[in-house]
Amino acid sequence: MRASRISDRLLIGGLVLALVLGLAGLASATGWREIGAQLARLSVAQLALLLLLSLVNYGLRGLRWHVLARRLGLPTALRQNLRHYLGGFAMAVTPGRLGELVRMRWLRRETGWAVERTAPLALMDRAGDLAVMALLLGAATLLAGQGQAGLGAALPVTLAGLLLAVLLTRPTVLARILTQTYRLTGWKPALFARARRASRSLTRFSHPATLVGVLGLGLLGWLAEGYAFHLLLSWMGADIGLWTAIGIFTFATLAGGLTGAPGGLGGAEAAMVALLSLNGVGLDISVPATAVIRLTTLWFALALGLAVFPLAEARAAASPHP
């Protein structure tokens, strides 16, 4: 028991250190001076609406997490799953997407399920976001009309994103990928065996109603944040159209994720400013607009996570499973 507590404290210490490093990177990549100037122009009601739309996104995606958890067979309630999902956002800017690790750790402490049994839940959640954002990007490209400058590569990205999401969630395909990887590397056979066992659990998510629910909740959630970006640009005097704004927001978010940087730092901001410039938005608006939308999405998610994290950690620590 003593060794378990020491290991637990070392893990929490490592997570806190990763969080601090992530916050430092996020602070250096955010234009606080530009944020302050533009926030001064926004009314309290406008800022509240942006935050509300982000909260809609996180709430719907948290509900999706609950649906997936129940489909997997986890004995967890809605409030419990929302606590895990939102609390994981505290690690949104840490290297390696540690939020998923923290969520699975809480599930292990509260349910006794090993990480290999809950890993498919995190994989389906990530794949759901990838599929939804690919669909949104494709829809925005088709519906934006002549205002889609810079989004010419969106359809190939859409197809690639959908294909990757399908491949990663097909049990037989994923098992073959793991098997071939092991044959090539010969690295840690026990780990690959556990991963193959975990991949079999993906069959639980192949139910049509589950897939429709996962895609529907994710689609509504990300649409809410894309709409928030459209509103923000309109308030700043740069109304480039609803679907063009959604396309830019989605493309930039995907671009940030592909860089592998915590929270998409740097890549998302650069892509957003570049695409806005291609659509005729000057730097005097594109830079602060990018900073503000990141404040009301990424920074807001981080704030929610930090608020929920202590509660989630306390509940997990008080659970009967070591």
Side-chain angles (χ1 to χ4, degrees):
M1 181 66 70
R2 181 178 177 83
S4 176
R5 288 180 179 177
I6 294 175
S7 177
D8 208 48
R9 289 174 181 175
L10 287 174
L11 177 60
I12 291 298
L15 292 175
V16 171
L17 177 60
L19 174 60
V20 171
L21 293 175
L23 284 174
L26 186 58
S28 65
T30 304
W32 287 111
R33 185 173 300 175
E34 291 84 356
I35 287 180
Q38 288 297 334
L39 284 179
R41 300 181 184 180
L42 295 175
S43 68
V44 174
Q46 288 172 330
L47 183 59
L49 182 56
L50 295 178
L51 295 175
L52 177 61
L53 288 169
S54 288
L55 189 60
V56 168
N57 178 32
Y58 305 138
L60 289 173
R61 287 162 59 197
L63 182 58
R64 179 186 64 189
W65 179 271
H66 172 69
V67 170
L68 290 171
R70 298 299 297 171
R71 189 65 186 171
L72 187 60
L74 278 162
T76 47
L78 175 60
R79 181 179 297 181
Q80 188 178 8
N81 285 322
L82 288 177
R83 183 172 69 242
H84 294 161
Y85 190 76
L86 294 177
F89 283 142
M91 300 295 153
V93 297
T94 56
R97 304 288 303 184
L98 292 179
E100 280 80 4
L101 175 62
V102 170
R103 291 172 184 136
M104 289 186 286
R105 174 177 170 274
W106 288 333
L107 285 170
R108 180 182 62 80
R109 296 293 300 271
E110 294 179 29
T111 67
W113 282 41
V115 170
E116 66 188 67
R117 296 182 67 188
T118 56
L121 172 60
L123 180 60
M124 279 297 298
D125 182 66
R126 292 289 92 206
D129 277 341
L130 180 60
V132 163
M133 296 184 79
L135 289 172
L136 269 180
L137 185 56
T141 304
L142 293 173
L143 297 173
Q146 298 301 313
Q148 59 184 22
L151 294 179
L155 287 179
V157 172
T158 296
L159 295 176
L162 288 174
L163 179 61
L164 182 60
V166 171
L167 290 177
L168 289 177
T169 54
R170 297 293 297 175
T172 54
V173 174
L174 189 57
R176 287 175 184 172
I177 292 174
L178 290 169
T179 299
Q180 291 301 320
T181 303
Y182 169 67
R183 288 175 179 174
L184 289 172
T185 63
W187 186 64
K188 294 188 177 182
L191 179 62
F192 277 97
R194 292 171 62 187
R196 283 194 294 268
R197 286 196 298 270
S199 68
R200 299 190 190 105
S201 299
L202 291 171
T203 56
R204 292 178 174 267
F205 304 120
S206 60
H207 190 269
T210 301
L211 295 176
V212 170
V214 167
L215 291 175
L217 290 170
L219 185 64
L220 291 174
W222 284 108
L223 265 175
E225 284 200 347
Y227 180 63
F229 189 50
H230 164 67
L231 287 178
L232 176 62
L233 290 172
S234 299
W235 295 335
M236 291 184 172
D239 189 354
I240 58 176
L242 172 62
W243 285 105
T244 300
I246 290 176
I248 290 174
F249 178 82
T250 305
F251 194 98
T253 303
L254 282 172
L258 290 174
T259 65
L265 292 175
E269 290 83 359
M272 199 171 291
V273 171
L275 289 171
L276 285 172
S277 297
L278 287 173
N279 282 274
V281 180
L283 292 177
D284 59 321
I285 292 179
S286 65
V287 171
T290 298
V292 170
I293 199 63
R294 293 290 272 172
L295 173 69
T296 57
T297 54
L298 179 60
W299 274 97
F300 182 48
L302 179 64
L304 285 175
L306 291 174
V308 177
F309 187 91
L311 175 61
E313 184 62 27
R315 292 294 179 86
S319 66
H321 301 281

